[in-house]
């Protein structure tokens, strides 16, 4: 046996018990899927029922362009930035330089903040406290898009449903929701994510949750989502809501 073979064999012998130990640890500590359990009012998109709702949906124009751009928020407060990045890429808005991708330009959570966006709120502040609905709208408009902001307290359930469903039936425009997780049975505070589809049969919206490490995409009842956007954001003193985004 030459030295290299000897080292390799030794490594294999040492690594076997380590692998076994790791397997045991995984089984004991449940180190597999990491997302939190869902309450019964929510339908996991990653289930047979969740899949069927999308196939049967008549309002899913936005699902594919958004799913292609689906990203995980970079830190606990970056849900708004991750959601904006998805929408700007889905709208094919000309993106700034992306040094990590060479000559290819795309929006990322690192290059999103241009000079105009920094006048609205800085990335440092967003990293600490997230953003309000108004800031979400203004940040979007740092780029050539129109952001129509609706506060949850200003719309009836019917108005909310109609506006969002109409958008989900149209290509090249998107919906971001700003809601209180607790109201829909999740942990726990204010959150922002894109809405990707509507199920007529069950009256539910599909949220592509950008904190992908925490929850899977879920189908939530329209009424419950409406209640969750009509909650008060203590930072602004106003209700949360939703933003309709299109090219300017
Ligand atoms: Ca749309």
């Amino acid at each position: 046996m030459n030295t290299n073979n000897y080292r390799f064999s030794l490594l294999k012998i040492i690594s076997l018990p380590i692998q076994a130990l790791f397997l045991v640890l995984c089984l004991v500590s449940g180190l597999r899927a990491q997302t939190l359990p869902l309450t019964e009012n929510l339908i996991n998109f990653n289930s047979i029922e969740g899949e069927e709702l999308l196939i049967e949906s008549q309002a899913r124009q936005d699902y594919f362009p958004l799913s292609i751009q689906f990203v995980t928020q970079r830190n606990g407060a970056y849900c708004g930035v991750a959601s904006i990045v998805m929408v700007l890429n889905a709208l094919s808005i000309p993106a700034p330089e992306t040094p990590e991708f060479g000559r290819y330009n795309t929006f990322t959570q690192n290059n999103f903040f241009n000079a105009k966006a920094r006048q609205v709120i800085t990335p440092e502040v967003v990293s600490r406290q997230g953003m309000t609905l108004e800031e979400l709208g203004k940040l979007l408009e740092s780029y050539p898009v129109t952001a129509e902001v609706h506060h949850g307290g200003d719309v009836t359930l019917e108005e909310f449903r109609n506006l969002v469903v109409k958008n989900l039936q149209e290509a090249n425009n998107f919906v971001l929701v700003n809601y209180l997780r607790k109201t829909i049975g999740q942990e726990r505070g204010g959150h922002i994510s894109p809405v990707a589809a509507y199920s007529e049969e069950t009256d539910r919206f599909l949220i592509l949750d950008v904190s992908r490490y925490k929850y899977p995409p879920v189908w939530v009842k329209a009424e419950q989502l409406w209640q969750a956007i009509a909650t008060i954001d203590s930072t602004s003193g106003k209700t949360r809501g939703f933003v309709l985004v299109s090219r300017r």
Side-chain angles (χ1 to χ4, degrees):
M1 191 183 284
N2 67 32
T3 316
N4 279 342
N5 282 344
Y6 173 73
R7 278 188 190 148
F8 182 67
S9 302
L10 194 66
L11 205 65
K12 266 170 70 178
I13 292 164
I14 293 169
S15 70
L16 275 174
I18 293 172
Q19 283 169 8
L21 182 67
F22 182 71
L23 187 68
V24 170
L25 280 175
C26 286
L27 291 172
V28 170
S29 62
L31 279 178
R32 285 162 298 151
Q34 309 282 322
T35 55
L36 296 174
L38 296 176
T39 43
E40 274 180 16
N41 57 306
L42 300 172
I43 297 174
N44 190 335
F45 180 47
N46 189 16
S47 67
I48 292 168
E49 192 183 5
E51 184 184 325
E52 278 171 2
L53 293 187
L54 182 69
I55 292 166
E56 289 158 7
S57 164
Q58 301 298 308
R60 54 173 175 167
Q61 277 289 335
D62 297 352
Y63 174 76
F64 287 99
L66 286 173
S67 67
I68 288 164
Q69 303 295 343
F70 199 4
V71 293
T72 304
Q73 66 185 81
R74 205 183 68 186
N75 62 48
Y78 250 44
C79 53
V81 178
S83 301
I84 293 172
V85 162
M86 284 174 65
V87 164
L88 293 178
N89 283 329
L91 285 169
S92 302
I93 302 298
E97 285 182 8
T98 321
E100 62 268 45
F101 299 137
R103 65 192 175 93
Y104 301 101
N105 290 17
T106 187
F107 284 96
T108 69
Q109 293 168 73
N110 297 325
N111 73 6
F112 164 73
F113 280 93
N114 62 11
K116 209 173 164 191
R118 282 170 191 272
Q119 284 174 1
V120 178
I121 187 169
T122 63
E124 292 76 22
V125 175
V126 174
S127 292
R128 281 201 305 274
Q129 63 186 46
M131 63 181 71
T132 65
L133 182 69
E134 243 105 39
E135 287 160 350
L136 173 65
K138 286 183 185 149
L139 283 174
L140 278 157
E141 292 195 334
S142 308
Y143 290 92
V145 299
T146 301
E148 196 184 301
V149 172
H150 295 268
H151 285 276
D154 299 340
V155 289
T156 63
L157 168 59
E158 203 180 358
E159 287 165 344
F160 168 62
R161 187 193 289 113
N162 288 345
L163 282 165
V164 178
V165 170
K166 181 173 176 285
N167 186 295
L168 295 172
Q169 289 169 335
E170 297 167 351
N172 300 315
N173 55 22
F174 295 94
V175 186
L176 299 181
V177 268
N178 173 209
Y179 59 106
L180 186 66
R181 279 192 185 281
K182 196 177 150 195
T183 309
I184 68 165
Q186 294 187 328
E187 294 181 13
R188 173 176 179 91
H191 192 51
I192 296 167
S193 278
V195 180
Y198 174 73
S199 155
E200 297 76 12
E201 191 195 329
T202 61
D203 192 24
R204 285 172 184 268
F205 288 110
L206 174 63
I207 298 177
L208 292 185
D209 194 327
V210 291
S211 57
R212 301 202 287 182
Y213 49 86
K214 189 172 172 186
Y215 285 112
V218 292
W219 288 99
V220 56
K221 279 278 185 192
E223 185 170 9
Q224 226 165 30
L225 187 57
W226 172 67
Q227 287 163 346
I229 65 164
T231 50
I232 303 279
D233 178 350
S234 60
T235 308
S236 66
K238 294 177 182 173
T239 49
R240 297 182 171 85
F242 60 101
V243 184
L244 304 176
V245 191
S246 54
R247 265 199 214 98
R248 188 158 65 214

